[in-house]
Amino acid sequence: MARDPKIVPITSAGEIGAGGFDPNRPSHLPSPLMPVRKQAVDFLKLSLTTLFDNADDSLFEMADRAGSNNEQTMFFEAMRAVRLQRHKITKDCCHGLMRELEALNQDADKPVITSIHNFELDSLSLVQPDELEETVALDSMIGRAVTRNKASLSHLSIRFNSLVKRRVDDRDLPISPTMLSQVFVEALSELELDIKVRLIIFKLFERYVFNQLDGFYDEVNKQLILSGVLPDLKNTAGRQAAARMTGSAAVTGQAYRQVEGSQQDFAEHQQVLSMFSELIGNWRHASGDAALSSMGSPSTQTLRSNELLGMLADLSSLDFADDASQRLDMRSQINQLLRRQRDQHGQSRSLERVDDDVISLVSMLFDFILDDPELPAAVKAMIGRLQLPILRVAIADKRFFSQSSHPARRLLNELARSTMGWSDQDDLRRDQLHALLESIVQRLLDQPEPDPELFASLHTELAGFINVEKRRSERLEQRTRDAEEGRARIESARTQVALSLNELLMGRTLPVFAVDLLRDTWSQVMQMTCLREGHDSAAWREVKWTAEQMLESIAPLGDSAPAEREALNARVRQSIADGLQLIGLRAEQGAPLLVKVQQLQQSRLTPPTPAAQQTAPTVSAASQPELNKAEPLMAAEARPALYNAGNAQGDHQLDTAEPVADIASVNSSPELEPLPEVATVRVEAPIMPAEALPAEPELVGDLPDIKAAAWVDALHTGSWFELITAVNAPAQRCKLAAIISFSGKYIFVNRSGVKVVEYSATSLAQQYEQGLVRLLDDNQLFDRALESVIGNLRRLQASKN
């Protein structure tokens, strides 16, 4: 197929040109990362140049194979757009990469990136198909590149972390596949390309960028080693490659993969411990802490890990305090045991460096946990007693720090999560969860040997109990949400009815019977219609029209033709009859009302006699009850209930309701007696109370603070809060169970699912401004503690540099 003459010719793919990206611009990165920065920019620029050189051929080939003219045009237009924008995209990618690299030496931690697009499971159905297809393609590309370069990325993360302030891992490392993809997607987003074209370009990105990462990562690691950055890290990639070549005869299939995986896991654990060791060494140097691994004379013998565990088994009989403020100083306890051994045997012993570092790190973790304001005092007391069992496991199994799924870590996280709803003033003596947690802690203390399997079984037991409790509380929460939603719907409908009728009747002189009918009966029809159909529905407009036309039908005839008024009267009576049937009014109750309406309508077809005229009293707030005295509409016990308090929808089954009245027989009845007189009233006050609307702020100072309003807008159900609901009242922990759409109310419940308090958005913002409400961090406790400790150690290291 001949090329389209409209297509712009390809220009040289050499330099980016004037105004392009300069990799030699000044930087605040540590000196070992300066050559890495240039390496990364050069690699990305060259790879993208190759990508765009090949993109033209790929898109032209797709256009040649297009199944329709429209599809062919789409590929040609995409090819032209890519040609015109390739240099800008390359420049933007290089700028983005530089930006991410420079951000490494900033103090603020950057959120961990899990994928290019992050969707909640609950909102996945809202994602456009093209967007979802793009996400799946990108995540698959990233996954393949990360898996292939896992060891190299791990080495790079450790080396970068030893140089910069911000903590990074394999995913948010600026030169990782995830970050490179993000930079490319952001630069490509300016081109409005069809999903088919984008997927082709992403495939080219994987081929010409991701597939070249293996050698690039090796070169970067070599460059950092030449700069003296952790040169002792073992290059497991070479050993694994050799194992793949020579080990096939010894191990095959799954057995080989298990051996290779265990070797790689061990190397990763060693790398994590190496990083901790360096950070803790800097901390010891700055704080003057005496290392347990260097006690005694040069002839001091090293205490092996299994010997240390045997020594720690002697601590199992210690009486641990329940008060969290009386913390167990493990380093002091072990120091005393070492001194006791020296006095008894006349020989000094010291710890291995890795065990000494583990003890220090565990102590720091528990210091953070016991100072954590998110944890109630009762939880801190329990967790404080777990320091010894956790230390035993950490010494015996070094994967404790690098493996997020370690049973001991999972148990700690589950314990903290399950007690999020506890408040310090709660009486926990009869709480089943408290009793179970006490039992778990005691069983761990009674076990002198480190046993990860015990942690796993206890976690399973606790998780099972929590699931049962969660299902029970969720049922009660659902009832609370349904009741609040139903109440809000009813209040909203009642307000709509009150506003409509008050607006219709205010300032008018009307028959008392008509006012009573609209207020006591027709308001129920309007409210039921509003609940079922909504206040913007045709049915709602119909019932409002009926109220208006009913008043029109009982107004003096004036210039209207009698025949037109008769037709209007019949339509009004039919609509009233339909409405009475809607609310379940029976025939014996509804027929007298329709007769009275018809009598009133007929009385307006002829001019009133002077004797029938009557001075209209005025309805005010004080005299409003007199309406019912003038003409009682029906006995209170005869009025049907509008809704069931437990029914959120307010619906009723009306299939068995009897017809209210036979309209034809009423219309044709000649024996209707004329009304001797019509009592009227002037309506000067609202006949129905309406819910007071929130007062509009009069001054700028009355508006909620922008930060507080944004905080409220960002809240979502399921989050836990600490609230002070009254003056001098203790803080209590509540969960946001519902945000009611009809009323805008925020409903908070306790951990049993019982409603505690409700706020409007404005009042909740005011609570936040006054410091009376606080969002609790329910993230994983151990992970939060580990991140905090590592962050503090890094800041200490940065301050030294």
Side-chain angles (χ1 to χ4, degrees):
M1 177 177 179
R3 291 180 179 265
D4 194 322
K6 298 179 181 180
I7 296 178
V8 178
I10 299 179
T11 57
S12 175
E15 297 297 326
I16 294 180
F21 185 81
D22 180 10
N24 297 314
R25 66 196 310 177
S27 170
H28 298 290
L29 287 173
S31 56
L33 288 182
M34 296 296 292
V36 171
R37 183 188 68 170
K38 186 176 186 308
Q39 275 182 292
V41 172
D42 290 344
F43 166 78
L44 185 58
K45 185 192 307 182
L46 180 61
S47 300
L48 290 178
T49 299
T50 307
L51 183 155
F52 287 122
D53 287 345
N54 288 273
D56 190 78
D57 293 336
S58 298
L59 292 175
F60 187 86
E61 182 181 353
M62 294 301 298
D64 196 18
R65 294 188 301 176
S68 65
N69 290 335
N70 290 337
E71 189 175 23
Q72 186 180 69
T73 302
M74 176 194 70
F75 282 115
F76 279 138
E77 290 178 351
M79 185 162 49
R80 183 175 185 275
V82 170
R83 284 180 178 180
L84 292 175
Q85 297 294 324
R86 57 178 295 177
H87 299 309
K88 184 179 184 303
I89 294 172
T90 302
K91 183 177 70 173
D92 290 345
C93 286
C94 293
H95 276 293
L97 177 58
M98 171 66 82
R99 183 180 63 248
E100 296 296 335
L101 284 166
E102 292 294 332
L104 288 174
N105 232 21
Q106 296 176 356
D107 291 330
D109 283 341
K110 183 176 180 180
V112 174
I113 296 175
T114 56
S115 65
I116 300 300
H117 301 280
N118 188 16
F119 300 115
E120 296 292 338
L121 291 177
D122 294 340
S123 63
L124 190 58
S125 60
L126 303 179
V127 178
Q128 297 298 324
D130 290 354
E131 200 171 354
L132 183 58
E133 187 175 359
E134 178 179 319
T135 302
V136 172
L138 287 169
D139 287 346
S140 299
M141 290 165 43
I142 294 170
R144 289 189 289 270
V146 169
T147 301
R148 194 173 60 249
N149 296 280
K150 191 172 184 180
S152 297
L153 282 170
S154 179
H155 287 187
L156 287 172
S157 298
I158 296 171
R159 290 191 167 105
F160 271 67
N161 280 320
S162 68
L163 295 171
V164 298
K165 297 178 181 179
R166 202 190 79 201
R167 179 176 179 266
V168 295
D169 58 22
D170 297 357
R171 291 171 293 180
D172 61 353
L173 192 69
I175 56 176
S176 69
T178 302
M179 296 303 298
L180 291 176
S181 297
Q182 177 173 291
V183 167
F184 183 69
V185 170
E186 289 176 355
L188 195 67
S189 61
E190 296 184 9
L191 296 182
E192 296 183 357
L193 301 176
D194 186 88
I195 183 61
K196 295 180 180 179
V197 178
R198 294 177 67 85
L199 292 179
I200 292 172
I201 294 178
F202 291 154
K203 190 64 178 177
L204 295 174
F205 186 81
E206 181 179 23
R207 181 182 303 169
Y208 296 108
V209 180
F210 277 4
N211 289 350
Q212 312 305 316
L213 286 176
D214 307 54
F216 168 64
Y217 289 153
D218 288 342
E219 292 300 320
V220 174
N221 271 311
K222 290 178 182 177
Q223 177 60 49
L224 291 173
I225 291 173
L226 290 175
S227 300
V229 181
L230 300 180
D232 294 333
L233 280 179
K234 302 299 182 182
N235 187 0
T236 59
R239 291 205 310 267
Q240 291 167 6
R244 282 193 292 268
M245 295 175 61
T246 62
S248 58
V251 289
T252 57
Q254 184 177 2
Y256 168 75
R257 288 192 294 271
Q258 291 175 348
V259 170
E260 183 183 33
S262 63
Q263 290 176 349
Q264 183 171 337
D265 290 344
F266 177 77
E268 291 176 1
H269 304 323
Q270 292 298 111
Q271 293 160 12
V272 172
L273 290 176
S274 175
M275 179 189 69
F276 289 151
S277 179
E278 182 178 357
L279 292 173
I280 291 175
N282 294 329
W283 164 75
R284 284 204 179 97
H285 180 72
S287 63
D289 179 78
L292 298 176
S293 55
S294 60
M295 293 181 55
S297 62
S299 61
T300 299
Q301 291 187 356
T302 301
L303 198 69
R304 297 180 179 274
S305 296
N306 59 343
E307 295 177 295
L308 174 60
L309 289 173
M311 191 169 63
L312 291 177
D314 296 335
L315 294 176
S316 61
S317 60
L318 292 178
D319 183 20
F320 294 99
D322 289 338
D323 187 357
S325 63
Q326 301 179 13
R327 303 183 181 184
L328 177 64
D329 187 352
M330 290 303 308
R331 292 181 59 78
S332 177
Q333 293 279 352
I334 295 173
N335 196 1
Q336 290 179 16
L337 290 175
L338 292 173
R339 293 182 183 279
R340 190 182 307 163
Q341 275 202 353
R342 183 190 62 187
D343 295 340
Q344 291 177 353
H345 304 288
Q347 185 179 19
S348 296
R349 305 291 298 274
S350 65
L351 303 184
E352 292 182 344
R353 173 65 182 273
V354 64
D355 290 335
D356 193 5
D357 293 341
V358 166
I359 294 171
S360 297
L361 189 54
V362 169
S363 298
M364 293 177 186
L365 290 172
F366 273 84
D367 285 342
F368 170 86
I369 291 172
L370 298 179
D371 288 332
D372 190 354
E374 312 296 325
L375 296 179
V379 181
K380 291 180 180 180
M382 289 182 178
I383 293 180
R385 297 166 62 198
L386 289 177
Q387 184 170 355
L388 179 59
I390 292 294
L391 177 60
R392 291 171 178 158
V393 169
I395 291 174
D397 185 2
K398 302 301 189 295
R399 295 175 302 172
F400 175 76
F401 295 105
S402 60
Q403 189 179 60
S404 60
S405 60
H406 193 281
R409 292 174 59 165
R410 294 177 65 197
L411 180 63
L412 273 178
N413 289 332
E414 188 71 27
L415 189 153
R417 187 178 65 85
S418 65
T419 56
M420 184 61 67
W422 284 5
S423 299
D424 288 339
Q425 69 272 14
D426 291 345
D427 184 4
L428 302 173
R429 289 174 295 181
R430 297 184 179 180
D431 192 292
Q432 294 182 349
L433 176 60
H434 183 270
L436 175 60
L437 294 179
E438 284 284 359
S439 170
I440 288 174
V441 171
Q442 193 57 49
R443 277 183 278 177
L444 289 171
L445 288 173
D446 292 341
Q447 174 66 30
E449 299 294 334
D451 186 3
E453 293 300 324
L454 177 59
F455 281 91
S457 64
L458 292 176
H459 172 266
T460 302
E461 180 180 352
L462 177 59
F465 179 87
I466 294 302
N467 287 335
V468 174
E469 292 292 305
K470 182 180 178 181
R471 286 194 294 270
R472 183 180 301 136
S473 64
E474 283 179 347
R475 286 196 294 269
L476 191 52
E477 281 183 35
Q478 187 61 48
R479 293 195 193 106
T480 301
R481 282 192 293 270
D482 290 344
E484 293 297 326
E485 188 78 22
R487 186 177 296 111
R489 288 170 58 88
I490 291 167
E491 290 177 356
S492 175
R494 186 180 293 126
T495 299
Q496 291 290 338
V497 172
L499 293 175
S500 297
L501 290 182
N502 290 339
E503 180 182 5
L504 177 64
L505 300 179
M506 289 275 287
R508 303 177 68 167
T509 300
L510 300 166
V512 172
F513 166 76
V515 177
D516 278 349
L517 176 64
L518 291 176
R519 182 191 61 189
D520 297 336
T521 304
W522 197 248
S523 64
Q524 299 182 39
V525 177
M526 295 177 71
Q527 187 170 332
M528 179 70 75
T529 303
C530 188
L531 282 172
R532 286 185 167 183
E533 307 294 339
H535 65 273
D536 55 353
S537 63
W540 169 253
R541 291 191 293 271
E542 177 71 20
V543 294
K544 286 183 62 178
W545 176 89
T546 299
E548 296 167 359
Q549 295 302 305
M550 195 270 283
L551 297 183
E552 179 69 21
S553 72
I554 61 174
L557 183 61
D559 296 334
S560 301
E564 295 178 358
R565 175 60 66 86
E566 285 284 5
L568 173 65
N569 293 348
R571 289 198 304 271
V572 168
R573 292 196 301 274
Q574 181 63 60
S575 297
I576 292 176
D578 294 341
L580 297 182
Q581 185 174 0
L582 176 67
I583 61 175
L585 207 63
R586 296 184 177 276
E588 60 270 17
Q589 296 170 321
L593 296 179
L594 292 173
V595 170
K596 190 70 172 287
V597 169
Q598 185 175 12
Q599 289 175 332
L600 193 57
Q601 290 173 337
Q602 288 185 347
S603 70
R604 300 308 191 186
L605 292 176
T606 57
T609 61
Q613 295 182 358
Q614 187 177 17
T615 303
T618 299
V619 176
S620 63
S623 63
Q624 183 176 344
E626 298 299 323
L627 285 171
N628 286 332
K629 295 180 181 178
E631 183 65 43
L633 181 61
M634 66 179 73
E637 60 272 11
R639 298 173 186 170
L642 177 60
Y643 60 88
N644 188 314
N647 186 352
Q649 302 298 326
D651 293 340
H652 290 272
Q653 297 295 332
L654 302 177
D655 296 340
T656 59
E658 300 176 10
V660 173
D662 187 344
I663 298 299
S665 62
V666 171
N667 289 342
S668 61
S669 176
E671 290 85 10
L672 286 176
E673 297 180 0
L675 293 176
E677 62 181 20
V678 178
T680 59
V681 63
R682 182 169 178 81
V683 182
E684 296 288 356
I687 66 166
M688 294 185 68
E691 183 181 3
L693 299 175
E696 293 292 334
E698 299 179 359
L699 302 174
V700 175
D702 297 333
L703 292 170
D705 179 72
I706 295 178
K707 180 181 177 182
W711 181 82
V712 172
D713 289 340
L715 298 181
H716 56 84
T717 56
S719 301
W720 282 92
F721 298 81
E722 193 169 74
L723 297 169
I724 299 177
T725 56
V727 179
N728 298 326
Q732 56 182 323
R733 298 195 166 201
C734 305
K735 183 166 70 170
L736 180 58
I739 303 175
I740 307 301
S741 57
F742 283 88
S743 62
K745 295 290 182 63
Y746 290 71
I747 310 299
F748 293 87
V749 300
N750 61 17
R751 66 190 183 98
S752 298
V754 178
K755 179 181 173 181
V756 174
V757 68
E758 67 177 42
Y759 292 107
S760 65
T762 301
S763 60
L764 187 56
Q766 293 171 348
Q767 293 287 106
Y768 176 78
E769 290 183 56
Q770 299 170 18
L772 301 179
V773 57
R774 181 170 67 92
L775 176 64
L776 298 177
D777 188 351
D778 57 356
N779 289 329
Q780 304 283 50
L781 171 65
F782 186 89
D783 300 332
R784 194 167 72 240
L786 191 60
E787 289 175 5
S788 175
V789 168
I790 294 176
N792 291 335
L793 292 175
R794 281 208 181 90
R795 283 188 286 272
L796 179 64
Q797 183 184 47
S799 64
K800 287 178 56 182
N801 298 334

